[in-house]
Amino acid sequence: MKRFLLASGLALSLVACGENGNNSETAQTKENLEKPAEEQTQEPTEVPEPIEAESSDKYSYEMVVNDLDIPWGFAFLPDGSILITEKKGEIIHFKDGQKTKIQGAPDVYDRGQGGLLDVVLHPNYESNGWIYFTYSSKEGEGDGGNTALMRAKLEANQLTNKEVLYKASPNTTKGQHFGSRITFDKDGYLYFSAGERGARDVNPQDITRDNGKVYRLNDDGSVPSDNPFVGKPNAVEAIYSYGHRNPQGMILNPETGEIWVHEHGPKGGDEINVVKKGANYGWPVVTYGENYSGTSITDERSKPDMEDPIFYWLPSIAPSGFAYVTSDKFPELKGNLLVGSLKFQYLELLELEGKKISKRTKLVEESGRMRDVRQGPDGNIYIAIEGKGIAKLTNNQ
Ligand SMILES: [Ca+2]
């Protein structure tokens, strides 16, 4: 109903514009609106139409850490040094211009999109020393692997105090859709994502199964008592939201306190979603995308009991890494979002007005597969580029 009211408002305002009223799209909308509500075939209007991306040559980058393979994630330690996860299973500590391989990295299932994935420090790292990693793990029943969350401490180039806090199951030998990003919210809850592991008809819509989910845990891995599915029969109580496909970007929006994810959709269906407690993000029942072969997954783009994305990309950019810029170093970027594109090998600037994306701009085009983006403690913007390393954004002006 809300959707219909919004659609009506939009159509009426277009009609009222007069000179826009002659185009067929508006005429059709007006005709459609004259039908009884149950016969109307409105496109959902809470989701804006895709926007074309513009190119900008205002930015370049300079390499900070060279010669990395697939730097999947990175985190800045209080001394300004950088911890980097290499997908193949290595943790690199970059300090004073030197790379050191950290001993004791988790044993990863390095297959397809799986391997050593994200790394994030606890918000109180300086007092407790906890570092969190996601990775694909072979632990548990069955061949293959699935997404796991570990915390550990770093002492003398060695991971110590390792604790596996979560391991999704069952294992599968499929190589796709492990997720997985980690973010803490303002109250200290930890969120992480696990993709649907190539089992879209089994996992994402079923809250008794892992995968295709965003999880919320306490920092020690226990399940918060107010998680949405606590006490529901057979539910995986760590689940916070479901119906996701493969989120590889997650941020805390510092303005709203919300957790936002972006996720790889099928062809034409990459999305940005605001994560809400217990909400269903629709995959694969509703989607703006289609199969990569061009065949349809579903005609349904929206349902009343499922959350619409606030934005979707057409064509898909294959998003990885997500940052909300608060730094004053780049006034044009401040208050806006940055997303890496694996497919088109650039950094995308998404200008934000509340929850609306108003403009898309391609920065540092043809750089390479952009795997991650973070704002550093020095206010600079750092990007992880596959086959290159970690680089710092620079302003050409
Ligand atoms: Ca969705």
Side-chain angles (χ1 to χ4, degrees), residues 242-245 263 269 271-273 280-288 301 306-309:
Y242 65 108
H244 297 281
R245 187 170 178 274
E263 55 187 282
E271 302 179 348
I272 296 178
N273 288 303
N280 179 355
Y281 290 82
W283 177 250
V285 181
V286 297
T287 177
Y288 283 76
R301 291 179 159 198
M306 294 179 184
E307 287 295 319
D308 290 323

Side-chain angles (χ1 to χ4, degrees), residues 109-172:
Y109 179 59
D110 180 23
R111 174 171 161 73
Q113 298 163 5
L116 185 55
L117 304 173
D118 209 9
V119 54
V120 164
L121 304 191
H122 191 287
N124 301 324
Y125 174 81
E126 289 196 68
S127 57
N128 64 29
W130 286 118
I131 305 167
Y132 293 75
F133 298 93
T134 47
Y135 59 104
S136 48
S137 165
K138 292 176 274 196
E139 282 181 37
E141 298 273 314
D143 292 337
N146 210 331
T147 305
L149 173 75
M150 172 188 281
R151 73 172 178 177
K153 298 187 179 187
L154 178 63
E155 295 172 273
N157 298 328
Q158 175 91 30
L159 282 196
T160 63
N161 299 86
K162 289 192 277 186
E163 299 176 6
V164 178
L165 302 183
Y166 200 87
K167 165 67 181 42
S169 62
N171 288 338
T172 158

Side-chain angles (χ1 to χ4, degrees), residues 1 93 116 277 315 373:
M1 195 59 199
H93 186 199
L116 185 55
K277 184 177 180 174
V373 51

Side-chain angles (χ1 to χ4, degrees), residues 17-206:
C17 284
E19 63 181 45
N20 292 328
N22 292 329
N23 73 53
S24 60
E25 191 183 338
T26 310
Q28 194 176 22
T29 305
K30 188 185 172 196
E31 184 184 284
N32 195 33
L33 276 171
E34 286 164 356
K35 295 176 187 170
E38 62 273 16
E39 290 176 25
Q40 290 179 7
T41 53
Q42 294 292 334
E43 294 291 331
T45 54
E46 288 172 322
V47 185
E49 287 299 305
I51 307 167
E52 292 275 325
E54 296 175 11
S55 290
S56 169
D57 58 4
K58 286 184 188 169
Y59 300 90
S60 302
Y61 63 87
E62 61 185 50
M63 294 308 300
V64 176
V65 188
N66 282 300
D67 301 323
L68 296 172
D69 186 10
I70 301 181
W72 213 92
F74 57 102
F76 293 88
L77 292 166
D79 63 3
S81 66
I82 312 175
L83 268 188
I84 304 156
T85 50
E86 281 270 33
K87 180 185 156 305
K88 62 190 170 193
E90 292 180 359
I91 302 170
I92 307 295
H93 186 199
F94 181 78
K95 185 175 180 178
D96 300 330
Q98 299 289 322
K99 281 186 284 188
T100 304
K101 188 175 159 185
I102 299 302
Q103 302 301 310
D107 185 21
V108 305
Y109 179 59
D110 180 23
R111 174 171 161 73
Q113 298 163 5
L116 185 55
L117 304 173
D118 209 9
V119 54
V120 164
L121 304 191
H122 191 287
N124 301 324
Y125 174 81
E126 289 196 68
S127 57
N128 64 29
W130 286 118
I131 305 167
Y132 293 75
F133 298 93
T134 47
Y135 59 104
S136 48
S137 165
K138 292 176 274 196
E139 282 181 37
E141 298 273 314
D143 292 337
N146 210 331
T147 305
L149 173 75
M150 172 188 281
R151 73 172 178 177
K153 298 187 179 187
L154 178 63
E155 295 172 273
N157 298 328
Q158 175 91 30
L159 282 196
T160 63
N161 299 86
K162 289 192 277 186
E163 299 176 6
V164 178
L165 302 183
Y166 200 87
K167 165 67 181 42
S169 62
N171 288 338
T172 158
T173 55
K174 288 199 174 185
Q176 66 266 57
H177 306 169
F178 292 85
S180 59
R181 294 289 178 186
I182 310 166
T183 301
F184 283 87
D185 72 6
K186 287 179 172 172
D187 297 320
Y189 293 111
L190 180 154
Y191 297 75
F192 74 100
S193 58
E196 41 83 301
R197 298 294 282 109
R200 72 187 192 197
D201 296 324
V202 180
N203 289 331
Q205 289 295 317
D206 187 346

